[in-house]
Amino acid sequence: MRKKIIAGNWKMNKNLSESIALVEELNILLNKQSLNCEVIVCPPFTSLLSLAEKIKKTDIKLGAQNMYFESDGAFTGEISADMILSVGCEYVILGHSERREIFKETDELINKKIKQALSKGLKPIFCVGEKLEQREANITEDIVRGQIEKGLEGISENDMKNIIIAYEPVWAIGTGKTATPAQAEEVHVFIRNLIGKLYSTAIAEDIVIQYGGSVKPDNAKELLSQKNIDGALVGGACLKADSFMGIILGV
Ligand code: 13P
């Protein structure tokens, strides 16, 4: 049985005091519940250290939203795997569509980041997904296949045990348009079969594939009840404790 994992991607939201307030609220809500899933929060870099302290006695895990593939050196403005590990991160989101689109990250760059994260003991949440025009042109599977094959190039079967894949159709991100459970499940099945072909049936069966794109408390339960949807990567709805909690309780 795969465990479900709900991760909140805060994106570029919440300064330090706002971050602390949100996690304190979340701690109170989570404390009263027995959960069926793992919970990860991915705040901005500037809040990681303080939040690590706040979640120390809870089951909440910490993730960063990005990192660079080099270990150290003259890379102004970048953050290394060691740096995010040193402030308590276990996870790192890589290949998010906003990084691909706005910051022009390529599959090759994402592949280097994934390899570096794994070699340092971080668990990548590797994002893939098609744009609206690609879905309309019926090339969703080609796009997702390309992103996965290139992103995972050279990654061993053993390392695959530490990767989460997040399927996030770009047209569903921040738009309020969610993929229907059936549309999402179809791509999740495709991804799982592809992992089976690239690695093994055992790896395919075990890998956690999250869905992301306008996940809200009122649609989470149905999405998460699909056989191949193993969790959610939540944007907007994770910025308020009660709506993030609503999604977590939908598992
Ligand atoms: P929204 O939930 O705001 O659509 O964002 C999804 C996302 O990009 C998570 O990484």
Side-chain angles (χ1 to χ4, degrees):
M1 261 298 274
R2 293 181 294 270
K3 66 177 168 201
K4 301 248 195 248
I5 303 183
I6 308 294
N9 174 9
W10 296 17
K11 309 193 179 181
M12 198 174 75
N13 293 293
K14 308 279 180 196
N15 65 21
L16 183 56
S17 58
E18 292 164 344
S19 298
I20 291 172
L22 176 53
V23 159
E24 283 178 342
E25 225 183 310
L26 212 52
N27 278 344
I28 295 168
L29 295 177
L30 283 167
N31 210 1
K32 296 184 197 142
Q33 305 289 341
S34 67
L35 300 179
N36 299 322
C37 63
E38 186 171 316
V39 177
I40 308 170
V41 292
C42 304
F45 293 128
T46 45
S47 297
L48 287 171
L49 180 59
S50 302
L51 295 197
E53 191 59 35
K54 291 281 164 198
I55 60 173
K56 217 163 46 187
K57 295 197 183 95
T58 76
D59 291 331
I60 304 176
K61 305 278 174 66
L62 199 59
Q65 296 175 21
N66 186 27
M67 50 156 261
Y68 197 51
F69 68 86
E70 294 284 4
S71 294
D72 47 50
F75 304 101
T76 302
E78 292 296 321
I79 299 270
S80 73
D82 270 341
M83 291 170 188
I84 57 176
L85 275 168
S86 74
V87 292
C89 287
E90 186 176 328
Y91 293 91
V92 58
I93 299 173
L94 295 173
H96 193 279
S97 63
E98 287 148 18
R99 301 288 328 165
R100 293 177 188 264
E101 278 299 296
I102 306 167
F103 302 100
K104 308 293 170 218
E105 291 199 6
T106 61
D107 292 314
E108 291 68 29
L109 176 66
I110 295 159
N111 176 250
K112 286 183 183 166
K113 291 184 176 194
I114 294 175
K115 284 180 174 156
Q116 174 74 348
L118 289 166
S119 78
K120 296 287 181 178
L122 281 161
K123 296 175 186 162
I125 300 176
F126 168 39
C127 305
V128 299
E130 81 289 2
K131 297 182 206 166
L132 183 60
E133 61 270 25
Q134 294 165 334
R135 174 159 284 262
E136 285 173 349
N138 276 324
I139 54 169
T140 296
E141 291 187 355
D142 296 337
I143 297 298
V144 170
R145 184 192 298 110
Q147 290 171 336
I148 288 183
E149 285 179 353
K150 290 182 199 140
L152 297 180
E153 202 177 296
I155 286 161
S156 71
E157 185 154 337
N158 205 35
D159 274 339
M160 285 303 288
K161 294 176 186 147
N162 291 317
I163 292 188
I164 294 175
I165 295 178
Y167 169 58
E168 298 203 307
V170 180
W171 50 271
I173 295 179
T175 57
K177 276 190 212 161
T178 327
T180 63
Q183 275 176 324
E185 172 71 4
E186 191 182 11
V187 183
H188 282 234
V189 168
F190 171 76
I191 293 173
R192 202 174 300 286
N193 288 339
L194 177 61
I195 296 298
K197 280 183 211 139
L198 296 173
Y199 291 94
S200 65
T201 316
I203 294 290
E205 271 308 306
D206 285 349
I207 194 157
V208 169
I209 309 175
Q210 295 176 316
Y211 170 79
S214 297
V215 177
K216 305 272 182 292
D218 61 1
N219 60 25
K221 206 178 178 72
E222 208 189 339
L223 283 161
L224 291 163
S225 67
Q226 302 298 306
K227 198 161 156 258
N228 289 284
I229 300 185
D230 310 316
L233 183 55
V234 184
C238 78
L239 297 174
K240 289 211 166 89
D242 55 351
S243 54
F244 193 44
M245 206 49 212
I247 293 168
I248 292 167
L249 294 178
V251 178

